[in-house]
Amino acid sequence: MKYYIIAGEASGDLHASNLMKAILHKDQNTEFRFWGGDLMAKVASQKPVKHYKDLAFMGFLEVAMNLRTILKNIKICKEDIKKHQPDVLILVDYPGFNLRIAEYAKSLGIKVVYYISPQLWAWKEGRVETIKKYVDEMLVILPFEQDFYKKHQVNAHFVGHPLLDAISDLAPIDAENFKKENGLNDKEIIALLPGSRKQEVEKMLDLMLSVRSYFKDYQFVIAGAPSLTKDFYKKFVDDDVHFVSNKTYDLLRSSRAALVTSGTATLETALLNIPEIVCYRSSQISYEIAKRVVKNIKYISLVNLIMDKEVVKELIQKELNTENLVAELKSILDGEKRDEMLNNFELLREKLGGKGASEHVAEIIVNTK
C-alpha cells in the first residue's frame, strides 16, 4: 500500500510519526510519501516533500501576508499527489490546507482519511459539509467529537488520544538528575510554559514571573520554544529563573506544578500528572473577536473541555494577574485542591481511552478498501 500523509505542524509530525510506526508494524512493505517533519522523516528514512516549518502560518495577518506561498504549496501538493497516485491520503489536522487537498484527492478517486479533527465544534462548523463530501474516514481523538459529528450525520470513530501513546513511551526520569544535568539548583521546580510566539511569550513570562517573590522556596524554569533562540530568553533568567530547551516533558515530570499558556500543552501537562494553572491573555480586540467567533464553548483548556467541568483553573484576560496567580498556585502546590486535581487527571486518562490510539488508527487505515 502507498500512503500519502500531510502534517503541517510539530504536533502533527509527532502523531503522524507514531502512526507511521504502527502502520509499518502491520505492513513492512508500506510506502510513505509525506509532508511533515523530522520525526516522520526518521521513521520513513527519507526527507519530506515539504517540511512543516515551511507551512506553519498562524493568524489572519500572517496567512494574508503569505497567501502566495500557501497557494503555491497547495498547487505543488496537488501535482505531487497526482504524480504518485497513493492508495490512501492521510490528513493530520491542519484544516485550512488539508481540506483543500481532500477535495482534490477525492476527485482523483483516492481514499481520504482524516486523523485528528479540526476543532469545528469551536468555530467554522460549516466545514463539516466539506468533510461529509470529501472525507471517507474521520478519526477523532476527543470523546465529545464523535457526538458532534453524529449530530451532522458523519460517522466518526473515536480512536483515543495519541498523546497517551507518546507519553507512555517516555523513559523514567529522576528529578534530581534532571536538575544537575541542566544546571538547576536544589529547589523544587515550578515550570513555565509561556507559548511559542515571541510577543505571546514576553507577555506571558512577565505575568508568570510576577509571582516569584511569593515563592522563594522554589525555582522557576522556562520551557523554551524551538522557534525562539536561547538569547531571546536571557533577559528573564537569573539565579532562580532558569531556561531549558527541547526538554518540556522532562521539565514537567521534574516539576511540582506548572503555569501553562492555553493550548495542547495544558493537556500534555495534565497527562504527565502535573498540577497546573491555565493562563491566557490577548489584546482586548482579539479577545472580543474570538468570543464572537468561537461558539458554545465554556472553557479554553482541553482538560476542562474533555471533562466538561473546571478541573484546572483558567485565568483569562484581566483575571490573569499576580494576586490570582499567587492564590491559585499556593492551592495546587499542597493540599486538598492539589489532590483533587490529580484524581481528576486519572479520570481524564480513563476518559481518553488509554494508550493505543496509533495502533487503532493503523488498524482502520490498513483495512481501508
Side-chain angles (χ1 to χ4, degrees):
M1 291 282 284
K2 295 190 295 181
Y3 298 101
Y4 201 107
I5 308 176
I6 304 174
E9 296 146 329
S11 60
D13 180 39
L14 170 64
H15 302 321
S17 68
N18 285 330
L19 173 58
M20 290 163 74
K21 291 175 192 173
I23 291 174
L24 283 169
H25 189 254
K26 296 181 184 301
D27 180 8
Q28 293 184 348
N29 295 318
T30 292
E31 292 181 29
F32 292 120
R33 191 165 178 83
F34 62 96
W35 293 48
D38 299 340
L39 296 175
M40 296 170 74
K42 187 175 181 181
V43 176
S45 299
Q46 65 190 69
K47 291 182 179 180
V49 180
K50 284 270 186 177
H51 200 286
Y52 70 77
K53 290 179 181 177
D54 299 324
L55 306 174
F57 302 113
M58 296 176 65
F60 297 112
L61 183 59
E62 194 174 353
V63 168
M65 290 174 63
N66 292 280
L67 189 57
R68 182 176 294 180
T69 301
I70 293 167
L71 293 175
K72 182 181 177 182
N73 284 336
I74 289 171
K75 182 181 179 183
I76 291 169
C77 188
K78 288 179 176 179
E79 289 173 350
D80 199 55
I81 288 172
K82 186 174 183 179
K83 178 181 177 181
H84 291 276
Q85 290 291 313
D87 298 299
V88 181
L89 172 68
I90 304 170
L91 306 171
V92 183
D93 199 0
Y94 198 51
F97 189 94
N98 276 341
L99 287 176
R100 289 173 180 246
I101 301 303
E103 181 177 356
Y104 179 74
K106 196 66 179 171
S107 73
L108 299 179
I110 296 168
K111 197 84 170 182
V112 178
V113 176
Y114 213 119
Y115 174 42
I116 306 180
S117 169
Q119 294 181 350
L120 306 185
W121 37 268
W123 70 313
K124 294 194 176 180
E125 192 169 338
R127 281 178 165 175
V128 174
E129 294 305 312
T130 303
I131 286 168
K132 284 172 76 170
K133 285 182 185 176
Y134 307 120
V135 174
D136 298 292
E137 294 279 0
M138 172 56 75
L139 310 178
V140 301
I141 63 173
L142 301 174
F144 61 80
E145 290 178 325
Q146 192 169 28
D147 293 333
F148 168 81
Y149 278 107
K150 186 176 181 181
K151 182 181 75 174
H152 290 281
Q153 293 80 53
V154 176
N155 185 28
H157 300 277
F158 172 59
V159 295
H161 204 292
L163 274 178
L164 289 163
D165 291 350
I167 286 168
S168 69
D169 290 338
L170 295 173
I173 188 168
D174 182 283
E176 296 311 310
N177 284 341
F178 177 81
K179 291 174 187 176
K180 289 176 185 175
E181 289 168 3
N182 291 280
L184 308 179
N185 59 47
D186 293 333
K187 294 179 180 179
E188 285 199 283
I189 296 170
I190 296 172
L192 307 180
L193 279 66
S196 60
R197 306 184 75 187
K198 190 174 181 180
Q199 285 184 315
E200 172 189 49
V201 171
E202 287 181 329
K203 183 188 297 181
M204 286 297 127
L205 280 178
D206 282 339
L207 286 161
M208 290 173 173
L209 288 171
S210 70
V211 308
R212 55 182 302 200
S213 62
Y214 297 87
F215 299 95
K216 292 183 178 179
D217 292 335
Y218 293 86
Q219 60 182 317
F220 293 81
V221 184
I222 302 163
S227 55
L228 299 174
T229 65
K230 186 176 181 179
D231 286 343
F232 167 78
Y233 293 94
K234 278 185 178 177
K235 59 188 171 187
F236 299 103
V237 173
D238 58 30
D239 290 345
D240 275 318
V241 179
H242 305 273
F243 162 84
V244 299
S245 187
N246 298 317
K247 299 178 182 178
T248 301
Y249 282 4
D250 287 351
L251 168 60
L252 284 169
R253 291 190 295 158
S254 303
S255 300
R256 181 70 180 175
L259 306 181
V260 186
T261 298
S262 180
T264 305
T266 64
L267 181 58
E268 291 172 309
T269 303
L271 294 177
L272 289 167
N273 218 36
I274 306 304
E276 64 179 304
I277 300 166
V278 176
C279 306
Y280 179 82
R281 185 187 283 186
S282 68
S283 71
Q284 195 58 34
I285 292 174
S286 295
Y287 181 67
E288 292 299 328
I289 292 171
K291 279 203 304 184
R292 285 158 177 76
V293 171
V294 176
K295 300 183 297 181
N296 303 318
I297 301 298
K298 291 188 285 185
Y299 306 106
I300 64 167
S301 69
L302 282 171
V303 176
N304 292 343
L305 283 166
I306 294 164
M307 295 297 287
D308 197 26
K309 66 177 182 179
E310 188 182 74
V311 171
V312 296
K313 184 66 178 179
E314 299 179 352
L315 294 179
I316 304 170
Q317 295 299 95
K318 291 181 180 178
E319 289 185 359
L320 179 58
N321 57 52
T322 305
E323 182 181 1
N324 288 342
L325 273 172
V326 169
E328 294 298 330
L329 188 50
K330 284 180 178 177
S331 75
I332 64 169
L333 287 170
D334 290 290
E336 290 183 10
K337 190 164 185 178
R338 177 184 179 87
D339 294 339
E340 182 183 359
M341 190 178 290
L342 292 173
N343 288 336
N344 276 308
F345 288 171
E346 182 62 35
L347 296 173
L348 172 70
R349 285 189 285 273
E350 290 176 15
K351 201 162 188 176
L352 288 174
K355 64 174 292 188
S358 302
E359 290 293 332
H360 192 180
V361 174
E363 185 73 32
I364 293 170
I365 290 174
V366 168
N367 292 326
T368 295
K369 304 297 181 185

